[in-house]
Amino acid sequence: MRDGLSDADLLARHVDGDPDAFGVIVRRHRDRLWAVALRTLGDREEAADAVQDALVSAYRAAHTFRGQSAVTTWLHRITVNACLDRARKAASRRTAPLAETERLEQLIEPHESAAAPAERGDLHRELLQALSTLPPDQRAALVLVDMQGYPVAEAAEVLDVPVGTVKSRCARGRARLLPILTHLRPGGGGSPPPDGGRNRTQGASVPPPAGQSDADPVKGGGGRA
């Protein structure tokens, strides 16, 4: 019966004391929140913890939701903020290059590394390595726009910044990535696509990793709430 309710109705029920309403919201949106967190942080444990933190925060702050944006936008904003907090803390305790490489290699799914050509795995690693060199704010903007396919205006809602700020962060991020990734593009050249629209259909500057295996279950599923 709850599955037929809108996100906003479920959130209202949660605030009114329904013990199961928030769990339905989590099941609906957990996988996409996980994909955003994983691509933003580049580390499975950090991404799982960020989503866990975000879901707990959303659970506790549900009474503050005023319906000025979609529930999914509100959840993504909380998740991205949790990711950026973790990314900034990680930057202050940067590990050795070898450890960074090992973490990036963990992002390749076992079935992919066994079945796909070696070149595919190398491309995946290079893309993730390049993305990890960006400042957290630029990385989050590119993940949402170029990898998750959000329109710039919607990404601005998620990040709670003006549209121009998202465009600026994407432009600066692409400019930093282009010299690193030029050799991966056909012919070794070309320029990044313009801002706007759902970049996934237009061809993203930073192609997403192969397959849709990012949508792994999040450990705990918000159970700490």
Side-chain angles (χ1 to χ4, degrees):
M1 183 175 178
R2 294 182 185 86
D3 289 338
L5 297 174
S6 69
D7 290 339
D9 288 339
L10 286 168
L11 201 61
R13 282 198 173 202
H14 164 64
V15 173
D16 288 340
D18 186 330
D20 300 316
F22 193 78
V24 178
I25 295 175
V26 170
R27 288 194 296 274
R28 285 181 183 175
H29 302 292
R30 179 173 54 188
D31 288 349
R32 198 168 187 194
L33 297 177
W34 162 251
V36 168
L38 179 59
R39 288 168 171 172
T40 301
L41 291 169
D43 179 273
R44 289 187 178 279
E45 288 297 319
E46 286 287 304
D49 287 342
V51 175
Q52 181 88 336
D53 291 346
L55 291 175
V56 171
S57 295
Y59 182 95
R60 293 172 175 168
H63 65 283
T64 67
F65 180 74
R66 295 291 177 259
Q68 296 175 337
S69 62
V71 172
T72 182
T73 300
W74 178 71
L75 288 173
H76 275 74
R77 181 183 303 151
I78 295 173
T79 301
V80 168
N81 285 338
C83 290
L84 293 181
D85 285 345
R86 286 185 170 272
R88 292 183 186 110
K89 290 175 183 176
S92 65
R93 59 175 191 274
R94 185 70 63 188
T95 56
L98 178 59
E100 291 290 331
T101 302
E102 289 171 349
R103 286 213 304 272
L104 289 165
E105 288 176 348
Q106 290 171 8
L107 297 180
I108 299 178
E109 292 296 324
H111 71 269
E112 179 184 340
S113 60
E119 294 82 2
R120 184 80 168 192
D122 290 342
L123 174 63
H124 189 176
R125 281 192 292 272
E126 287 197 59
L127 292 173
L128 290 169
Q129 180 67 66
L131 194 62
S132 73
T133 65
L134 297 179
D137 290 345
Q138 292 177 19
R139 194 187 318 163
L142 279 178
V143 166
L144 289 173
V145 175
D146 281 1
M147 300 182 75
Q148 294 299 116
Y150 277 86
V152 172
E154 195 172 342
E157 274 196 78
V158 170
L159 296 172
D160 199 21
V161 297
V163 167
T165 300
V166 175
K167 290 182 178 180
S168 176
R169 290 177 183 176
C170 286
R172 291 199 302 270
R174 289 170 186 148
R176 292 182 64 158
L177 290 181
L178 188 59
I180 304 173
L181 301 178
T182 294
H183 67 289
L184 301 180
R185 300 171 65 86
S191 58
D195 287 319
R198 288 195 177 270
N199 290 274
R200 204 166 1 189
T201 59
Q202 298 173 1
S205 302
V206 188
Q212 296 299 318
S213 56
D214 287 344
D216 288 352
V218 178
K219 67 177 183 179
R224 271 199 322 228

